[in-house]
Amino acid sequence: MTRALDRLVREVRHCRRCVDAPDGAPLPHEPRPVLRVSATARLAVVGQAPGTRVHASGVPFSDPSGVRLRAWMGVGDAEFYDEQRVAILPMGFCFPGLGKTGGDLPPRRECAPLWRPRLFALLPQLELVLLVGLYAQRWHLGADCGATLGETVRDYRRLLARPGPPRFFPMPHPSWRNNAWLKRNPWFEADLLPELRREVAALI
């Protein structure tokens, strides 16, 4: 299993599908897939796609969003970046580029169907997957995903109770762009975060 996963990760790191055979316009820069994974990981963090800082560093969540995410989870850098315990598998492995308004473009459409089923099939120890943002929630929850991010996240208890493994825990993205949403939804900090921290602590 470990050797098969190592081979697959090497394939991912050398992937050029969004440049050489894109679904639409090609990626506007050289690919730099960013992921961290191990067959022993019991917890996975599934975000959107690397941003500009992560594209430059090659380290997932090495930006203010990552600082907030780790605070939400109740973990430090050493725990978060221990890939023997925590897998980090964004919906798109490469920075997708910037849109006209300056925000990041959505994850590339080629990435998830090409790699996700094969990767998750080689992660037998996964018990909990944090679905950070709507793209991750739509892919992994399917028909159980709500019409809006808020609807899905508010339903976290029911979604956690679905048969697993793994179980899925929906969350908003920790970007500053969601500050207004967080202010409108105080239950997130009061109710969801304590439950999230208990779940994470039990696994790592």
Side-chain angles (χ1 to χ4, degrees):
M1 183 74 72
T2 299
R3 289 182 181 177
L5 181 59
D6 289 344
R7 287 194 298 270
L8 183 56
V9 170
R10 284 196 294 271
E11 285 187 55
V12 173
R13 295 194 188 283
H14 289 90
C15 180
R16 293 180 53 83
R17 171 68 179 273
C18 55
V19 173
D20 297 338
D23 181 0
L27 190 72
H29 50 260
E30 278 298 299
R32 187 180 192 183
V34 176
L35 72 160
R36 297 175 70 88
V37 66
S38 167
T40 61
R42 299 170 66 196
L43 173 67
V45 178
V46 175
Q48 180 168 304
T52 52
R53 295 191 188 190
V54 174
H55 179 67
S57 69
V59 180
F61 288 104
S62 56
D63 53 19
S65 291
V67 173
R68 176 182 262 179
L69 176 61
R70 289 185 282 281
W72 285 354
M73 295 170 63
V75 300
D77 289 2
E79 296 165 303
F80 186 77
Y81 289 115
D82 180 357
E83 65 184 35
Q84 299 302 311
R85 294 186 285 178
V86 181
I88 304 176
L89 294 162
M91 292 304 300
F93 293 133
C94 292
F95 170 52
L98 297 174
K100 294 179 180 178
T101 61
D104 291 358
L105 291 170
R108 296 288 307 192
R109 289 177 290 184
E110 304 92 343
C111 200
L114 182 62
W115 299 116
R116 298 193 82 71
R118 296 168 64 191
L119 282 164
F120 274 82
L122 295 175
L123 298 175
Q125 303 302 316
L126 273 189
E127 296 183 35
L128 184 68
V129 179
L130 307 186
L131 301 177
V132 184
L134 195 54
Y135 291 103
Q137 292 159 17
R138 285 173 174 165
W139 174 271
H140 287 279
L141 296 177
D144 266 348
C145 188
T148 66
L149 180 139
E151 184 178 314
T152 303
V153 175
R154 189 180 290 274
D155 204 21
Y156 71 94
R157 288 190 178 92
R158 183 185 67 82
L159 295 171
L160 268 175
R162 295 193 331 168
R167 295 180 302 135
F168 295 103
F169 202 130
M171 304 166 56
H173 195 279
S175 166
W176 63 268
R177 295 175 184 272
N178 280 330
N179 284 351
W181 185 92
L182 295 170
K183 289 180 180 179
R184 292 194 306 270
N185 295 277
W187 55 267
F188 173 79
E189 184 172 348
D191 300 331
L192 185 148
L193 287 187
E195 181 67 21
L196 172 66
R197 289 166 185 158
R198 283 192 292 270
E199 291 280 352
V200 170
L203 294 175
I204 66 173

